[in-house]
Amino acid sequence: MSVGLIGLLDDIAAIAKVAAASLDDVASQAAKAGAKAAGVVIDDTAVTPGYVIGFTPARELPIVGRIAAGSLRNKLLVLLPAALVLSYFLPWTITPLLMLGGAYLCYEGVEKVLEAVMPHQAHQHEAQLGTVALNAQSVEDEKIASAIKTDFILSAEIMAITLAAIPAGNILTQALVLAVVAIGITAAVYGVVALIVKADDVGVALARSDRASATGRAVGRGIVRGMPVLLKFLSVVGTAAMIWVGGGIILHGLEVYGPPAIGSAVKAIEEAAAHAFRPAAGVLEWIVVAAISGAIGLLVGAASIPIAGFALAPAWTGLKRLLRR
C-alpha cells in the first residue's frame, strides 16, 4: 500500500474522530439544554390536550399531527434562524421579546380562568376577538390555529432557554443543538399528547374485549372513567402553568431591566423563607418564586384582557381583511 494512500486513510480516520466528538458534544449540550426547558415542556404537554377535546375519535390523532407539524415548522423554520440572528446581531432584543411572549401566556391563562369563573363575559370577550385563523373553514381549523399560536410562544421560550444554555462559539454547533432539541421536544410532547387523547379509546377496547381477562376489562373501565378526571386536571395544570411560566418570564425581565429593588425584594423573600425552615430551604425558595411569578402573571393577564379586546382585536380584524384582499 502506498504511503499516500496510508496518509489519506489516516486523514479520513482523524476527520471521523472529530465528527464523532462533535456529535457527542451536540448530543450532550442538547440533553442539558432540554432539561433546563423542562418547565415549559410540561406546560406545553398539559395545555395541548385541551385543544382536542370535543372532536370525534377519528379526528383526534390527525389534529394532534397537524399541531405537531405546525410546532416543528415554527421551531425549525422560524424560531431557530431568528434565535441565531438575534443572538449575534441584536442580543438585547431577546429578553423584551420573551417578556412579550410571557405576557401572552398570562393573557391566555387568565382568559381560561375567566371562562371558568364567568363564562358569559368570556364568551363576550371571544366574540370581540373573532377568529384566530385567517380563513377558518371549520371549528377544527380554528382550534388548530389557536393551538399552534400558543405553541409558538411556548416554543420560543424553549428555543431561548436552549440558546442561553449553549456555550457561545460555533454557530453550526448552536444550530445543530437547537435543531436536536426542537425535534426531540416536539416528538416527546406530541407523543405524550397522542397517548393521552387516545387512552380512553384503549380503555373502551379493553373493557369490550372478549379476549381480555376480567382484570384487563376492569382496567379498561377504570381508564374510561378516569380520563375525564385526568383531562380536567391537565386543563387546570395547563392554565396554572401558563400563568406561572408567563409571570416568571416577566419577573426575570423586570429583574434585568427594572429597578434593582425588584430583584433585591424577591431575593430577600426567598432568603426569609429558606431561614424559616432550613431542611426544606430549596423547596420553599422555589414555592416563593412560583407564588410571586403566579401573582405577576395574574395581574398582567387581567390587565391584558381589556387591551386585547379594545386595541389588539380591532387591529387584527383589519389586518385579516387586508390579507384576504
Side-chain angles (χ1 to χ4, degrees):
M1 188 178 293
S2 68
V3 175
L5 182 57
I6 292 172
L8 177 61
L9 291 175
D10 284 342
D11 289 343
I12 292 172
I15 291 169
K17 287 180 181 178
V18 171
S22 298
L23 288 175
D24 286 343
D25 188 38
V26 167
S28 173
Q29 290 186 35
K32 291 177 183 176
K36 289 189 177 181
V40 184
V41 172
I42 293 169
D43 186 1
D44 206 358
T45 308
V47 167
T48 306
Y51 291 100
V52 188
I53 294 172
F55 292 98
T56 60
R59 292 305 307 156
E60 288 174 343
L61 287 182
I63 290 171
V64 172
R66 287 179 65 186
I67 297 171
S71 174
L72 195 59
R73 188 167 56 247
N74 284 340
K75 290 184 180 79
L76 294 180
L77 301 184
V78 180
L79 294 170
L80 191 155
L84 292 175
V85 168
L86 290 176
S87 68
Y88 274 86
F89 298 105
L90 297 168
W92 59 270
T93 61
I94 293 176
T95 299
L97 289 173
L98 286 176
M99 291 178 73
L100 284 175
Y104 174 75
L105 291 179
C106 297
Y107 163 76
E108 282 276 288
V110 173
E111 189 182 39
K112 291 180 184 300
V113 173
L114 180 67
E115 186 176 353
V117 177
M118 293 181 287
H120 179 67
Q121 290 192 15
H123 292 318
Q124 283 185 332
H125 177 66
E126 287 175 4
Q128 266 185 324
L129 295 179
T131 59
V132 176
L134 291 176
N135 294 293
Q137 298 173 353
S138 67
V139 174
E140 180 178 312
D141 293 336
E142 179 63 19
K143 282 280 189 179
I144 290 169
S146 182
I148 292 174
K149 180 183 67 171
T150 301
D151 179 272
F152 183 88
I153 305 300
L154 294 169
S155 296
E157 313 301 343
I158 289 168
M159 299 299 272
I161 291 168
T162 301
L163 186 62
I166 303 171
N170 190 334
I171 189 170
L172 179 59
T173 300
Q174 290 180 323
L176 285 173
V177 172
L178 287 169
V180 169
V181 170
I183 294 169
I185 284 179
T186 302
V189 166
Y190 290 98
V192 172
V193 169
L195 289 174
I196 290 170
V197 300
K198 297 308 290 182
D200 54 347
D201 293 342
V202 173
V204 168
L206 271 175
R208 293 178 177 176
S209 175
D210 295 330
R211 296 180 181 179
S213 63
T215 303
R217 288 194 292 272
V219 169
R221 289 192 295 271
I223 292 172
V224 172
R225 290 171 185 161
M227 281 311 297
V229 178
L230 176 61
L231 289 172
K232 183 66 177 175
F233 173 74
L234 286 175
S235 176
V236 173
V237 169
T239 300
M242 279 196 284
I243 295 170
W244 163 55
V245 172
I249 293 165
I250 293 170
L251 176 61
H252 174 69
L254 291 174
E255 289 174 348
V256 173
Y257 291 109
I262 294 175
S264 301
V266 173
K267 191 67 179 174
I269 297 170
E270 282 185 70
E271 290 175 353
H275 284 305
F277 190 64
R278 290 187 180 277
V283 175
L284 287 173
E285 287 179 359
W286 182 88
I287 291 173
V288 165
V289 175
I292 295 172
S293 299
I296 291 173
L298 285 170
L299 290 172
V300 171
S304 63
I305 284 179
I307 294 172
F310 295 111
L312 298 182
W316 175 240
T317 302
L319 179 61
K320 284 195 295 184
R321 286 174 182 166
L322 182 63
L323 291 174
R324 285 194 186 112
R325 290 173 186 171

mmCIF file of all heavy atoms in Angstrom, residues 233-268:
data_model
loop_
_atom_site.group_PDB
_atom_site.id
_atom_site.type_symbol
_atom_site.label_atom_id
_atom_site.label_comp_id
_atom_site.label_asym_id
_atom_site.label_seq_id
_atom_site.Cartn_x
_atom_site.Cartn_y
_atom_site.Cartn_z
ATOM 1 N N PHE A 233 -57.892 17.681 35.105
ATOM 2 C CA PHE A 233 -56.704 18.009 35.885
ATOM 3 C C PHE A 233 -55.645 18.655 35.004
ATOM 4 O O PHE A 233 -55.023 19.662 35.381
ATOM 5 C CB PHE A 233 -56.157 16.736 36.532
ATOM 6 C CG PHE A 233 -54.840 16.920 37.228
ATOM 7 C CD1 PHE A 233 -54.748 17.588 38.441
ATOM 8 C CD2 PHE A 233 -53.667 16.429 36.661
ATOM 9 C CE1 PHE A 233 -53.528 17.769 39.076
ATOM 10 C CE2 PHE A 233 -52.442 16.600 37.277
ATOM 11 C CZ PHE A 233 -52.370 17.272 38.500
ATOM 12 N N LEU A 234 -55.428 18.088 33.796
ATOM 13 C CA LEU A 234 -54.438 18.664 32.878
ATOM 14 C C LEU A 234 -54.831 20.067 32.443
ATOM 15 O O LEU A 234 -53.974 20.933 32.256
ATOM 16 C CB LEU A 234 -54.281 17.763 31.654
ATOM 17 C CG LEU A 234 -53.514 16.460 31.861
ATOM 18 C CD1 LEU A 234 -53.552 15.616 30.595
ATOM 19 C CD2 LEU A 234 -52.066 16.736 32.274
ATOM 20 N N SER A 235 -56.143 20.295 32.271
ATOM 21 C CA SER A 235 -56.610 21.627 31.906
ATOM 22 C C SER A 235 -56.273 22.644 32.994
ATOM 23 O O SER A 235 -55.800 23.750 32.703
ATOM 24 C CB SER A 235 -58.120 21.589 31.657
ATOM 25 O OG SER A 235 -58.613 22.878 31.389
ATOM 26 N N VAL A 236 -56.503 22.250 34.253
ATOM 27 C CA VAL A 236 -56.185 23.142 35.378
ATOM 28 C C VAL A 236 -54.685 23.367 35.468
ATOM 29 O O VAL A 236 -54.211 24.507 35.631
ATOM 30 C CB VAL A 236 -56.732 22.549 36.697
ATOM 31 C CG1 VAL A 236 -56.255 23.363 37.890
ATOM 32 C CG2 VAL A 236 -58.254 22.500 36.658
ATOM 33 N N VAL A 237 -53.915 22.275 35.340
ATOM 34 C CA VAL A 237 -52.454 22.381 35.414
ATOM 35 C C VAL A 237 -51.927 23.247 34.274
ATOM 36 O O VAL A 237 -51.048 24.104 34.468
ATOM 37 C CB VAL A 237 -51.805 20.983 35.367
ATOM 38 C CG1 VAL A 237 -50.300 21.083 35.161
ATOM 39 C CG2 VAL A 237 -52.093 20.226 36.653
ATOM 40 N N GLY A 238 -52.461 23.037 33.071
ATOM 41 C CA GLY A 238 -52.016 23.822 31.923
ATOM 42 C C GLY A 238 -52.293 25.304 32.088
ATOM 43 O O GLY A 238 -51.453 26.152 31.772
ATOM 44 N N THR A 239 -53.485 25.633 32.596
ATOM 45 C CA THR A 239 -53.839 27.036 32.836
ATOM 46 C C THR A 239 -52.922 27.666 33.881
ATOM 47 O O THR A 239 -52.388 28.767 33.690
ATOM 48 C CB THR A 239 -55.304 27.145 33.294
ATOM 49 O OG1 THR A 239 -56.145 26.609 32.279
ATOM 50 C CG2 THR A 239 -55.691 28.584 33.569
ATOM 51 N N ALA A 240 -52.729 26.945 34.997
ATOM 52 C CA ALA A 240 -51.843 27.451 36.051
ATOM 53 C C ALA A 240 -50.415 27.598 35.541
ATOM 54 O O ALA A 240 -49.725 28.576 35.858
ATOM 55 C CB ALA A 240 -51.883 26.512 37.259
ATOM 56 N N ALA A 241 -49.981 26.631 34.718
ATOM 57 C CA ALA A 241 -48.612 26.680 34.199
ATOM 58 C C ALA A 241 -48.403 27.861 33.259
ATOM 59 O O ALA A 241 -47.347 28.501 33.271
ATOM 60 C CB ALA A 241 -48.288 25.372 33.480
ATOM 61 N N MET A 242 -49.413 28.165 32.432
ATOM 62 C CA MET A 242 -49.289 29.322 31.543
ATOM 63 C C MET A 242 -49.110 30.604 32.345
ATOM 64 O O MET A 242 -48.252 31.441 32.025
ATOM 65 C CB MET A 242 -50.516 29.428 30.633
ATOM 66 C CG MET A 242 -50.460 28.518 29.441
ATOM 67 S SD MET A 242 -51.648 28.958 28.147
ATOM 68 C CE MET A 242 -53.150 28.359 28.862
ATOM 69 N N ILE A 243 -49.922 30.761 33.391
ATOM 70 C CA ILE A 243 -49.833 31.971 34.224
ATOM 71 C C ILE A 243 -48.502 32.007 34.963
ATOM 72 O O ILE A 243 -47.840 33.052 35.023
ATOM 73 C CB ILE A 243 -51.014 32.014 35.215
ATOM 74 C CG1 ILE A 243 -52.330 32.155 34.454
ATOM 75 C CG2 ILE A 243 -50.855 33.158 36.210
ATOM 76 C CD1 ILE A 243 -53.564 31.968 35.311
ATOM 77 N N TRP A 244 -48.090 30.858 35.506
ATOM 78 C CA TRP A 244 -46.848 30.799 36.282
ATOM 79 C C TRP A 244 -45.629 31.026 35.388
ATOM 80 O O TRP A 244 -44.731 31.826 35.717
ATOM 81 C CB TRP A 244 -46.775 29.439 36.981
ATOM 82 C CG TRP A 244 -45.420 29.073 37.474
ATOM 83 C CD1 TRP A 244 -44.625 29.793 38.313
ATOM 84 C CD2 TRP A 244 -44.675 27.904 37.147
ATOM 85 N NE1 TRP A 244 -43.434 29.133 38.529
ATOM 86 C CE2 TRP A 244 -43.446 27.975 37.827
ATOM 87 C CE3 TRP A 244 -44.935 26.785 36.354
ATOM 88 C CZ2 TRP A 244 -42.470 26.981 37.727
ATOM 89 C CZ3 TRP A 244 -43.966 25.794 36.263
ATOM 90 C CH2 TRP A 244 -42.764 25.900 36.932
ATOM 91 N N VAL A 245 -45.558 30.312 34.244
ATOM 92 C CA VAL A 245 -44.408 30.450 33.339
ATOM 93 C C VAL A 245 -44.346 31.868 32.779
ATOM 94 O O VAL A 245 -43.284 32.501 32.734
ATOM 95 C CB VAL A 245 -44.475 29.412 32.201
ATOM 96 C CG1 VAL A 245 -43.398 29.689 31.157
ATOM 97 C CG2 VAL A 245 -44.283 28.001 32.760
ATOM 98 N N GLY A 246 -45.500 32.392 32.327
ATOM 99 C CA GLY A 246 -45.518 33.759 31.794
ATOM 100 C C GLY A 246 -45.106 34.779 32.828
ATOM 101 O O GLY A 246 -44.309 35.679 32.551
ATOM 102 N N GLY A 247 -45.637 34.650 34.061
ATOM 103 C CA GLY A 247 -45.250 35.572 35.128
ATOM 104 C C GLY A 247 -43.778 35.453 35.474
ATOM 105 O O GLY A 247 -43.112 36.459 35.766
ATOM 106 N N GLY A 248 -43.241 34.223 35.430
ATOM 107 C CA GLY A 248 -41.816 34.026 35.715
ATOM 108 C C GLY A 248 -40.927 34.700 34.682
ATOM 109 O O GLY A 248 -39.887 35.286 35.020
ATOM 110 N N ILE A 249 -41.329 34.627 33.413
ATOM 111 C CA ILE A 249 -40.558 35.287 32.344
ATOM 112 C C ILE A 249 -40.575 36.801 32.539
ATOM 113 O O ILE A 249 -39.544 37.478 32.404
ATOM 114 C CB ILE A 249 -41.143 34.916 30.966
ATOM 115 C CG1 ILE A 249 -40.919 33.425 30.695
ATOM 116 C CG2 ILE A 249 -40.510 35.762 29.859
ATOM 117 C CD1 ILE A 249 -41.748 32.889 29.554
ATOM 118 N N ILE A 250 -41.742 37.339 32.870
ATOM 119 C CA ILE A 250 -41.844 38.788 33.093
ATOM 120 C C ILE A 250 -41.038 39.199 34.326
ATOM 121 O O ILE A 250 -40.359 40.236 34.323
ATOM 122 C CB ILE A 250 -43.315 39.204 33.230
ATOM 123 C CG1 ILE A 250 -44.024 39.001 31.885
ATOM 124 C CG2 ILE A 250 -43.451 40.658 33.676
ATOM 125 C CD1 ILE A 250 -45.511 39.153 31.945
ATOM 126 N N LEU A 251 -41.094 38.387 35.386
ATOM 127 C CA LEU A 251 -40.312 38.681 36.594
ATOM 128 C C LEU A 251 -38.826 38.723 36.284
ATOM 129 O O LEU A 251 -38.113 39.629 36.729
ATOM 130 C CB LEU A 251 -40.602 37.625 37.665
ATOM 131 C CG LEU A 251 -39.783 37.733 38.966
ATOM 132 C CD1 LEU A 251 -40.046 39.059 39.662
ATOM 133 C CD2 LEU A 251 -40.108 36.562 39.891
ATOM 134 N N HIS A 252 -38.346 37.758 35.485
ATOM 135 C CA HIS A 252 -36.932 37.753 35.106
ATOM 136 C C HIS A 252 -36.581 39.005 34.313
ATOM 137 O O HIS A 252 -35.532 39.628 34.528
ATOM 138 C CB HIS A 252 -36.621 36.510 34.275
ATOM 139 C CG HIS A 252 -35.230 36.493 33.712
ATOM 140 N ND1 HIS A 252 -34.103 36.353 34.497
ATOM 141 C CD2 HIS A 252 -34.783 36.653 32.430
ATOM 142 C CE1 HIS A 252 -33.025 36.394 33.730
ATOM 143 N NE2 HIS A 252 -33.416 36.585 32.470
ATOM 144 N N GLY A 253 -37.476 39.403 33.388
ATOM 145 C CA GLY A 253 -37.228 40.616 32.612
ATOM 146 C C GLY A 253 -37.206 41.858 33.484
ATOM 147 O O GLY A 253 -36.385 42.752 33.268
ATOM 148 N N LEU A 254 -38.096 41.912 34.471
ATOM 149 C CA LEU A 254 -38.110 43.057 35.389
ATOM 150 C C LEU A 254 -36.825 43.111 36.222
ATOM 151 O O LEU A 254 -36.322 44.199 36.521
ATOM 152 C CB LEU A 254 -39.326 42.976 36.314
ATOM 153 C CG LEU A 254 -40.697 43.192 35.654
ATOM 154 C CD1 LEU A 254 -41.811 42.941 36.658
ATOM 155 C CD2 LEU A 254 -40.797 44.610 35.095
ATOM 156 N N GLU A 255 -36.299 41.948 36.588
ATOM 157 C CA GLU A 255 -35.038 41.920 37.337
ATOM 158 C C GLU A 255 -33.876 42.414 36.484
ATOM 159 O O GLU A 255 -32.923 43.003 36.994
ATOM 160 C CB GLU A 255 -34.760 40.497 37.833
ATOM 161 C CG GLU A 255 -35.699 40.042 38.946
ATOM 162 C CD GLU A 255 -35.494 38.593 39.317
ATOM 163 O OE1 GLU A 255 -34.794 37.873 38.565
ATOM 164 O OE2 GLU A 255 -36.033 38.147 40.348
ATOM 165 N N VAL A 256 -33.969 42.178 35.153
ATOM 166 C CA VAL A 256 -32.901 42.617 34.238
ATOM 167 C C VAL A 256 -33.026 44.098 33.919
ATOM 168 O O VAL A 256 -32.050 44.852 33.977
ATOM 169 C CB VAL A 256 -32.927 41.783 32.936
ATOM 170 C CG1 VAL A 256 -31.930 42.346 31.918
ATOM 171 C CG2 VAL A 256 -32.609 40.325 33.233
ATOM 172 N N TYR A 257 -34.251 44.542 33.576
ATOM 173 C CA TYR A 257 -34.442 45.902 33.086
ATOM 174 C C TYR A 257 -35.081 46.850 34.097
ATOM 175 O O TYR A 257 -35.043 48.056 33.918
ATOM 176 C CB TYR A 257 -35.317 45.879 31.818
ATOM 177 C CG TYR A 257 -34.632 45.262 30.635
ATOM 178 C CD1 TYR A 257 -35.025 44.019 30.151
ATOM 179 C CD2 TYR A 257 -33.584 45.913 29.996
ATOM 180 C CE1 TYR A 257 -34.393 43.440 29.055
ATOM 181 C CE2 TYR A 257 -32.950 45.349 28.910
ATOM 182 C CZ TYR A 257 -33.352 44.119 28.447
ATOM 183 O OH TYR A 257 -32.723 43.547 27.382
ATOM 184 N N GLY A 258 -35.719 46.297 35.113
ATOM 185 C CA GLY A 258 -36.400 47.140 36.081
ATOM 186 C C GLY A 258 -35.460 47.664 37.152
ATOM 187 O O GLY A 258 -34.242 47.444 37.107
ATOM 188 N N PRO A 259 -36.017 48.366 38.131
ATOM 189 C CA PRO A 259 -35.179 48.875 39.230
ATOM 190 C C PRO A 259 -34.582 47.727 40.041
ATOM 191 O O PRO A 259 -35.218 46.674 40.199
ATOM 192 C CB PRO A 259 -36.171 49.689 40.085
ATOM 193 C CG PRO A 259 -37.522 49.187 39.699
ATOM 194 C CD PRO A 259 -37.428 48.734 38.287
ATOM 195 N N PRO A 260 -33.363 47.888 40.553
ATOM 196 C CA PRO A 260 -32.710 46.820 41.314
ATOM 197 C C PRO A 260 -33.513 46.365 42.532
ATOM 198 O O PRO A 260 -33.332 45.243 43.006
ATOM 199 C CB PRO A 260 -31.383 47.463 41.753
ATOM 200 C CG PRO A 260 -31.153 48.584 40.793
ATOM 201 C CD PRO A 260 -32.502 49.079 40.397
ATOM 202 N N ALA A 261 -34.408 47.240 43.022
ATOM 203 C CA ALA A 261 -35.196 46.894 44.208
ATOM 204 C C ALA A 261 -36.060 45.657 43.977
ATOM 205 O O ALA A 261 -36.341 44.910 44.920
ATOM 206 C CB ALA A 261 -36.082 48.077 44.594
ATOM 207 N N ILE A 262 -36.473 45.406 42.722
ATOM 208 C CA ILE A 262 -37.324 44.238 42.439
ATOM 209 C C ILE A 262 -36.566 42.949 42.717
ATOM 210 O O ILE A 262 -37.027 42.070 43.451
ATOM 211 C CB ILE A 262 -37.828 44.274 40.983
ATOM 212 C CG1 ILE A 262 -38.768 45.469 40.778
ATOM 213 C CG2 ILE A 262 -38.536 42.972 40.627
ATOM 214 C CD1 ILE A 262 -39.217 45.663 39.346
ATOM 215 N N GLY A 263 -35.366 42.837 42.133
ATOM 216 C CA GLY A 263 -34.556 41.645 42.353
ATOM 217 C C GLY A 263 -34.177 41.477 43.810
ATOM 218 O O GLY A 263 -34.195 40.365 44.347
ATOM 219 N N SER A 264 -33.854 42.588 44.468
ATOM 220 C CA SER A 264 -33.470 42.529 45.888
ATOM 221 C C SER A 264 -34.634 42.070 46.752
ATOM 222 O O SER A 264 -34.455 41.273 47.682
ATOM 223 C CB SER A 264 -33.001 43.913 46.356
ATOM 224 O OG SER A 264 -31.907 44.353 45.593
ATOM 225 N N ALA A 265 -35.850 42.557 46.452
ATOM 226 C CA ALA A 265 -37.023 42.172 47.236
ATOM 227 C C ALA A 265 -37.323 40.684 47.083
ATOM 228 O O ALA A 265 -37.601 39.985 48.066
ATOM 229 C CB ALA A 265 -38.230 43.003 46.799
ATOM 230 N N VAL A 266 -37.256 40.182 45.845
ATOM 231 C CA VAL A 266 -37.503 38.752 45.605
ATOM 232 C C VAL A 266 -36.466 37.910 46.335
ATOM 233 O O VAL A 266 -36.792 36.907 46.981
ATOM 234 C CB VAL A 266 -37.490 38.446 44.088
ATOM 235 C CG1 VAL A 266 -37.564 36.937 43.851
ATOM 236 C CG2 VAL A 266 -38.645 39.145 43.386
ATOM 237 N N LYS A 267 -35.202 38.338 46.252
ATOM 238 C CA LYS A 267 -34.125 37.598 46.927
ATOM 239 C C LYS A 267 -34.328 37.598 48.437
ATOM 240 O O LYS A 267 -34.123 36.581 49.111
ATOM 241 C CB LYS A 267 -32.770 38.222 46.570
ATOM 242 C CG LYS A 267 -31.570 37.392 46.988
ATOM 243 C CD LYS A 267 -31.508 36.106 46.193
ATOM 244 C CE LYS A 267 -30.283 35.297 46.599
ATOM 245 N NZ LYS A 267 -30.286 33.968 45.924
ATOM 246 N N ALA A 268 -34.740 38.723 48.985
ATOM 247 C CA ALA A 268 -34.953 38.834 50.437
ATOM 248 C C ALA A 268 -36.088 37.908 50.888
ATOM 249 O O ALA A 268 -35.978 37.245 51.928
ATOM 250 C CB ALA A 268 -35.276 40.280 50.806
#
